[in-house]
């Protein structure tokens, strides 16, 4: 009988808590319990029993378990503990973040349906003659099909013997009274030759863990490839009727077509997981996953934390997408955890993209991932031609140059659709006084207010502050404020004036706020009606618009001169993804990129559309600069009511890091790019090293130091391992 339980509590401390197990109480790791904490009581989750390093002190007793079975199975618990260590986040917060809200609050969890065991008809010739107990159990199972573990034990067999039979594929576990749990017979897709070759190569490593990177240009048919691969993995699974598959996607609302394609093949076996689910939906899907129901879960980031029972494969679609990294709280990368999860489950994982992240590209180059290529578009579509438009000293209207306007003309005349990408929402990003030249700034942030014309107001895109447009300049009091520069709204209105006959459809966060609105807006585009699409990032993701034959990028220069070292990588991915929206149909397409830097080597290289060579160049630059993925990085951030407080905290850390013998270089501290956001003054410090364990140890020491020496008055800090964004 265990006497001590090590328990995760939902508290922001980097430790687990030990409790005494009262006599007569039996606990299992993974169970929820109620425990006393100071003068309060709280919910906890048992992580370990009788740990090898018990504390030398009197412990408080566990009060009550909430159920007598583990809510969180072993694999999920191990994953979370590993992630808590790797990302240096309080383990209790990680564990509780992975529970559906209802279970976090202590609501009852439903018991997984009981499972029973069956002998399979696999070949017994690989069962060695000396495995006497296994042979006996197999004979017993053939005489007593469908018995639960308890009966098997009662018949005198151990769990170990049973598990050995299962490993050999001779016995299988199944949910009792399972009837609806079968896979629909879906029509098979006829893959083209390239897809078929990749499919064979994906299957080549056979059973077990393997990580693959599928570099497939936009429109090369990656989704079809995933679907066929998934079908084969399910068919090859030891127990197809318990097989589970995870498909991670960046944002479900942006890719209803992908979801629909999966549904045609797997019907009711599809489950979804995303931020718009309510608490009931969350609990129900979580429970289906926990119970081991056969399903394909299509989900965003946090779907990687669900308690899968029997994963047979994982797909991470658009693996380069920034949304896989959580930017606050438990700052994990779902893509990286997917690799760990697949390793844990002994199953393959596919990362797929037309523009792989440099991290994954690097891993493929180092042969840590198998690299597969799909370099032709499926069907008859060809890749668009890409040209630069030099906009130095050209008159622009609404950000549009004459050559781009002309190209739009031609596109519309041909009855086709045009798509224009601009990276700012709103009407204009700056409102400035004619007299004194002062821009109107957010009172709470070091940022300018954006003018939104549709509701005639000024808004801060960093803190959400909004205000009416003043009549006079807040600085000099003169009249004559002027909106400068353009966002999606302005480009939309200029286009509407210039092309009065053609609908202009604007896609950004403002125009698609209401649920279902995006689909409504895109309906005419999908029907192939002539139109001009104007939008932000949202347009660059995954859509398949066969009628679009022209894509325009209004301003490519921001990414070239970004203060984030990932700026050029993100620009390259964006250009290729936006270009990928053009010419998916049979009529081909073209892409125009407006820039003041038409001689820039990155842009000229991008015009070839050859992402692998762009990625190689960028990777080489990173290697020369010693930046990730050629090294490892951790950021420590601080924010406080004054910049001096933030910097003081980080200065202290910098001194400690520099005094340590660890081979880690210290960059900063320096103020964040937006140094003041919602009246908090933000700064950061970066640690960089070739030696991941040394970097990890140093970061861990600093976190512990900060936990023990809590900074005073309103200073908050956070650690970000493998940071993806440095603003
Ligand atoms: P990606 O995800 O690589 O951008 P998609 O999977 O969306 O590409 O495929 C692009 C288009 O090609 C889709 O309309 C898809 O239906 C079509 N397609 C994919 N594979 C095939 C195939 N083997 N034969 C015919 N059309 C295909
Ligand atoms: Zn603000």
């Amino acid at each position: 009988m265990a006497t001590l339980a090590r328990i995760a509590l939902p508290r922001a401390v980097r430790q687990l808590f030990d409790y005494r197990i009262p006599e007569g109480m039996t606990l299992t790791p993974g169970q929820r319990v109620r425990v006393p904490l100071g003068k309060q009581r709280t919910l906890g989750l048992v992580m370990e029993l009788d740990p090898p390093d018990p504390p030398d002190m009197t412990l408080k007793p566990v009060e009550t378990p909430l159920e007598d079975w583990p809510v969180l199975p072993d694999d999920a618990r191990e994953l979370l503990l590993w992630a808590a260590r790797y990302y240096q986040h309080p383990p209790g917060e990680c564990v509780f973040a992975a529970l559906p809200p209802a279970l976090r609050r202590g609501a009852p969890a439903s018991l997984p349906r009981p499972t029973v065991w069956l002998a399979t008809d696999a070949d017994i010739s690989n069962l060695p003659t000396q495995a006497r107990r296994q042979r006996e159990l197999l004979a017993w199972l053939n005489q007593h099909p469908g018995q639960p573990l308890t009966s098997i034990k009662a018949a005198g067999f151990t769990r170990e013997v049973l598990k050995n039979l299962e490993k050999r594929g001779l016995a299988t576990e199944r949910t009792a009274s399972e009837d609806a749990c079968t896979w629909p017979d879906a029509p098979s897709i006829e893959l083209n030759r390239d897809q078929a070759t990749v499919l064979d190569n994906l299957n080549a490593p056979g059973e077990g863990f393997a990580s693959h990177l599928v570099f497939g240009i936009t429109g090369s048919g990656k989704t079809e490839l995933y679907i066929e691969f998934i079908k084969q993995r399910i068919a090859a699974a030891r127990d197809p009727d318990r097989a589970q598959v995870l498909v991670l996607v960046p944002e479900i609302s942006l890719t209803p077509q992908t979801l629909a394609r999966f549904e045609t093949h797997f019907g009711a076996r599809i489950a979804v997981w995303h931020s718009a689910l309510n608490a009931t939906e969350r609990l129900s899907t979580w429970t289906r996953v926990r119970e081991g129901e056969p399903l394909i879960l299509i989900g965003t980031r946090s779907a990687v934390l669900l308690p899968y029972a029997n994963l047979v494969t994982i797909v991470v679609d658009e693996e380069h997408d920034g949304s896989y990294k959580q930017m606050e709280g438990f700052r994990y990368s779902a893509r990286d955890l997917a690799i760990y999860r697949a390793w844990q489950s002994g199953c393959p994982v596919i990362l797929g993209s037309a523009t792989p992240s440099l991290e994954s590209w690097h891993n493929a180059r180092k042969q840590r991932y198998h690299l597969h290529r799909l370099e032709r578009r499926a069907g008859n579509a060809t890749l668009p031609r890409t040209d630069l438009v030099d906009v130095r000293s050209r008159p622009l209207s609404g950000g549009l140059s004459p050559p781009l306007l002309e190209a739009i003309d031609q596109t519309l005349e041909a009855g086709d659709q045009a798509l224009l990408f601009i990276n700012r929402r709103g009407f204009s990003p700056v409102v400035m006084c004619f007299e004194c030249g002062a821009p109107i700034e957010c009172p709470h942030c070091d940022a300018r207010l954006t003018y939104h014309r549709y509701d005639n107001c000024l808004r801060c895109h960093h803190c959400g502050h909004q205000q009416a447009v003043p009549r006079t300049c807040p600085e000099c009091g003169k009249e004559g404020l002027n909106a400068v520069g353009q966002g999606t709204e302005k480009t939309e209105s200029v286009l509407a004036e210039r092309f009065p006959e053609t609908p202009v459809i604007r896609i950004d966060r403002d125009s698609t706020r209401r649920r279902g609105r995006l689909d409504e807006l895109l309906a005419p585009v999908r029907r192939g009606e002539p139109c001009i699409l104007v939008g932000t990032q949202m347009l660059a993701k995954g859509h398949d618009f066969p009628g679009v034959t022209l894509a325009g990028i209004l301003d490519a220069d921001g990414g070239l001169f970004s203060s984030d070292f990932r700026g050029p990588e993100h620009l390259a991915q964006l250009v290729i993804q936006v270009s990928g929206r053009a010419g998916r149909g049979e009529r081909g397409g073209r892409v125009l990129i407006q820039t003041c830097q038409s001689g820039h080597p990155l842009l000229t290289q991008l015009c070839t559309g050859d992402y692998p060579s762009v990625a190689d160049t960028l990777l080489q630059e990173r290697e020369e600069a010693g930046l990730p993925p050629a090294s490892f990085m951790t950021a420590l951030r601080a924010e406080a009511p004054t910049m001096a407080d933030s910097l003081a905290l980080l200065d202290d850390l910098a001194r400690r890091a520099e005094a340590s013998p660890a081979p880690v270089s210290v960059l900063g501290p320096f103020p964040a790019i937006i140094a003041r956001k919602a009246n908090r003054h933000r700064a950061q410090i970066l640690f960089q090293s070739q030696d991941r364990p040394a970097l990890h140890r140093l970061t861990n020491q600093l976190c512990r130091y900060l936990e023990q020496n809590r900074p005073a008055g309103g200073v908050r800090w956070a650690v970000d391992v493998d940071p993806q964004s440095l603003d």
Side-chain angles (χ1 to χ4, degrees):
M1 252 345 159
T3 56
L4 194 155
R6 190 154 280 176
I7 293 177
L9 302 180
R11 291 292 184 278
V13 280
R14 284 163 181 75
Q15 67 170 83
L16 298 170
F17 295 79
D18 291 327
Y19 286 87
R20 184 165 58 74
I21 305 175
E23 230 167 279
M25 183 188 290
T26 322
L27 293 180
T28 333
Q31 242 173 293
R32 290 180 302 164
V33 288
R34 213 170 280 292
V35 293
L37 183 69
K39 290 201 171 71
Q40 301 166 308
R41 296 157 78 222
T42 178
L43 210 59
L45 196 131
V46 181
M47 301 303 281
E48 197 182 349
L49 295 175
D50 288 343
D53 53 339
D56 185 18
M57 57 193 274
T58 335
L59 296 173
K60 288 193 178 168
V62 170
E63 270 180 22
T64 45
L66 271 77
E67 51 267 312
D68 58 4
W69 52 278
V71 162
L72 214 53
D74 293 351
D75 274 4
R77 231 169 42 246
E78 247 167 57
L79 170 80
L80 290 163
L81 273 187
W82 183 84
R85 267 196 304 274
Y86 183 85
Y87 292 106
Q88 312 262 1
H89 196 73
E93 288 193 344
C94 299
V95 167
F96 278 80
L99 291 179
L103 298 190
R104 239 177 272 163
R105 288 192 300 265
S110 56
L111 187 68
R113 276 176 282 173
T115 57
V116 296
W117 289 85
L118 296 165
T120 67
D121 47 15
D123 187 5
I124 67 159
S125 64
N126 62 355
L127 187 59
T129 29
Q130 67 270 28
R132 195 176 47 83
R133 285 306 277 166
Q134 291 183 49
R135 285 181 174 272
E136 286 170 5
L137 175 54
L138 190 61
W140 189 89
L141 283 175
N142 276 316
Q143 282 158 16
H144 308 88
Q147 294 296 316
L149 180 63
T150 45
S151 318
I152 296 169
K153 281 186 176 163
F157 298 97
T158 61
R159 186 187 153 84
E160 216 184 341
V161 174
L162 181 65
K163 285 282 163 187
N164 284 334
L165 268 189
E166 188 189 23
K167 271 194 209 128
R168 296 180 196 277
L170 291 164
T172 172
E173 192 180 12
R174 181 169 302 255
T175 310
S177 75
E178 200 171 82
D179 28 77
C181 293
T182 50
W183 295 93
D185 276 328
S188 187
I189 302 162
E190 200 155 328
L191 296 183
N192 62 33
R193 194 143 45 89
D194 293 356
Q195 288 168 318
T197 308
V198 173
L199 184 62
D200 282 347
N201 293 338
L202 287 171
N203 279 314
E207 256 180 82
F209 170 70
S211 34
H212 302 277
L213 175 63
V214 172
F215 159 67
I217 63 165
T218 51
S220 59
K222 292 185 287 298
T223 313
E224 268 75 9
L225 177 71
Y226 303 151
I227 291 175
E228 284 306 297
F229 182 67
I230 289 170
K231 283 187 192 162
Q232 296 190 349
R233 295 325 303 169
I234 293 172
R238 207 156 280 149
D239 189 354
D241 288 344
R242 287 178 60 75
Q244 297 182 321
V245 173
L246 165 63
V247 179
L248 284 173
V249 294
E251 261 167 282
I252 281 191
S253 66
L254 295 185
T255 46
Q257 292 159 305
T258 307
L259 189 58
R261 274 199 250 168
F262 272 91
E263 276 169 348
T264 353
H265 287 270
F266 301 106
R269 294 277 130 232
I270 298 287
V272 294
W273 184 265
H274 52 82
S275 59
L277 296 184
N278 64 31
T280 318
E281 292 165 327
R282 256 166 219 280
L283 181 60
S284 135
T285 303
W286 193 90
T287 307
R288 287 170 67 194
V289 170
R290 168 71 183 94
E291 285 186 343
E293 191 183 309
L295 46 75
I296 293 175
L297 191 110
I298 302 188
T300 50
R301 190 170 60 218
S302 61
V304 77
L305 303 176
L306 292 177
Y308 301 95
N310 186 19
L311 273 179
V312 300
T313 191
I314 302 179
V315 174
V316 184
D317 193 19
E318 309 287 359
E319 67 88 27
H320 65 280
D321 197 281
S323 72
Y324 286 128
K325 174 83 191 216
Q326 171 124 321
M327 299 287 202
E328 54 202 32
F330 175 22
R331 292 168 167 79
Y332 64 96
S333 154
R335 174 191 67 210
D336 296 350
L337 287 187
I339 305 276
Y340 186 88
R341 196 71 179 84
W343 173 79
Q344 241 187 344
S345 312
C347 75
V349 52
I350 300 182
L351 310 183
S353 175
T355 52
S357 63
L358 292 188
E359 275 76 8
S360 298
W361 196 247
H362 179 71
N363 281 329
R365 286 262 174 261
K366 296 267 170 215
Q367 266 136 52
R368 288 183 203 124
Y369 298 166
H370 304 272
L371 179 63
H372 311 270
R373 296 161 177 261
L374 285 175
E375 297 187 275
R376 264 183 301 216
R377 283 193 158 177
N380 294 325
T382 51
L383 269 186
R385 204 186 81 215
T386 306
D387 293 299
L388 299 179
V389 178
D390 195 322
V391 293
R392 270 174 303 187
S393 66
R394 283 206 199 230
L396 298 186
S397 55
L400 301 157
S401 64
L404 183 54
L405 285 166
E406 205 172 298
I408 299 173
D409 259 333
Q410 289 164 5
T411 305
L412 297 175
E413 257 163 47
D416 293 340
Q417 303 168 331
L419 177 153
L420 302 172
F421 171 84
I422 175 161
N423 64 352
R424 284 197 200 99
R425 63 195 172 90
F427 190 82
S428 36
V430 185
V431 176
M432 212 158 83
C433 170
F434 259 153
E435 284 293 325
C436 73
I440 301 188
E441 305 219 326
C442 174
H444 314 294
C445 304
D446 290 338
R448 287 151 186 187
L449 293 176
T450 300
Y451 174 52
H452 287 257
R453 198 171 69 173
Y454 75 97
D455 59 354
N456 194 32
C457 103
L458 294 175
R459 228 175 246 127
C460 173
H461 288 181
H462 304 286
C463 72
H465 166 84
Q466 66 182 51
Q467 65 181 58
V469 185
R471 289 192 51 79
T472 56
C473 172
E475 289 293 316
C476 69
K478 296 253 168 51
E479 279 187 34
L481 288 169
N482 192 26
V484 190
Q486 58 277 323
T488 46
E489 280 182 37
K490 174 135 173 215
T491 305
E492 175 193 25
S493 78
V494 169
L495 286 165
E497 237 167 78
R498 172 77 203 258
F499 303 98
E501 315 283 289
T502 311
V504 177
I505 301 168
R506 175 165 61 90
I507 306 285
D508 58 25
R509 210 141 38 91
D510 301 308
S511 73
T512 58
R513 213 159 285 256
R514 189 161 52 73
R515 217 174 158 176
R517 182 75 185 132
L518 179 66
D519 267 346
E520 278 168 38
L521 283 172
L522 291 180
V525 188
R526 300 219 167 94
R527 286 196 300 268
E529 293 165 19
C531 63
I532 306 173
L533 273 160
V534 183
T536 55
Q537 309 277 356
M538 293 178 91
L539 271 185
K541 294 190 180 182
H543 304 281
D544 191 0
F545 303 132
V548 171
T549 58
L550 171 71
I553 293 169
L554 264 56
D555 177 16
D557 297 347
L560 295 176
F561 305 108
S562 162
S563 44
D564 189 330
F565 71 86
R566 285 195 175 80
E569 176 188 357
H570 291 159
L571 173 68
Q573 289 163 343
L574 181 89
V575 167
I576 302 268
Q577 293 288 345
V578 171
S579 314
R581 303 310 123 210
R584 289 198 156 215
E586 310 220 323
R587 284 162 305 208
R590 64 187 295 214
V591 180
L592 293 178
I593 303 175
Q594 297 190 149
T595 174
C596 293
Q597 306 289 325
S598 53
H600 197 287
L602 176 60
L603 290 179
T604 35
Q605 201 178 11
L606 274 171
C607 285
T608 64
D610 180 5
Y611 184 78
S613 72
V614 173
D616 284 339
T617 309
L618 293 175
L619 203 50
Q620 200 184 340
E621 286 170 13
R622 297 271 187 93
E623 263 153 22
E624 279 157 15
L627 287 165
S631 67
F632 304 100
M633 191 180 267
T634 297
L636 264 152
R637 307 211 168 91
E639 52 167 68
T642 70
M643 184 54 82
D645 284 346
S646 289
L647 288 175
L649 177 106
L650 296 179
D651 273 331
D652 183 20
L653 296 184
R655 271 195 304 277
R656 281 170 189 278
E658 269 151 7
S660 107
V664 173
S665 34
V666 181
L667 290 84
F670 42 80
I673 295 170
I674 296 167
R676 184 177 55 117
K677 196 162 166 175
N679 292 321
R680 309 276 303 167
H681 293 262
R682 310 151 73 229
Q684 61 185 330
I685 183 168
L686 301 176
F687 300 111
Q688 201 178 314
S689 179
Q690 301 289 334
D691 181 343
R692 197 198 295 253
L695 177 62
H696 182 91
R697 278 192 304 275
L698 176 71
T699 314
N700 189 261
Q701 282 161 15
L702 296 176
C703 289
R704 286 187 186 279
Y705 166 76
L706 286 172
E707 259 182 12
Q708 277 149 22
N709 302 274
R710 289 185 181 273
V715 186
R716 284 201 294 259
W717 62 276
V719 56
D720 192 350
V721 176
D722 305 333
Q724 289 300 304
S725 152
L726 298 180
D727 63 354

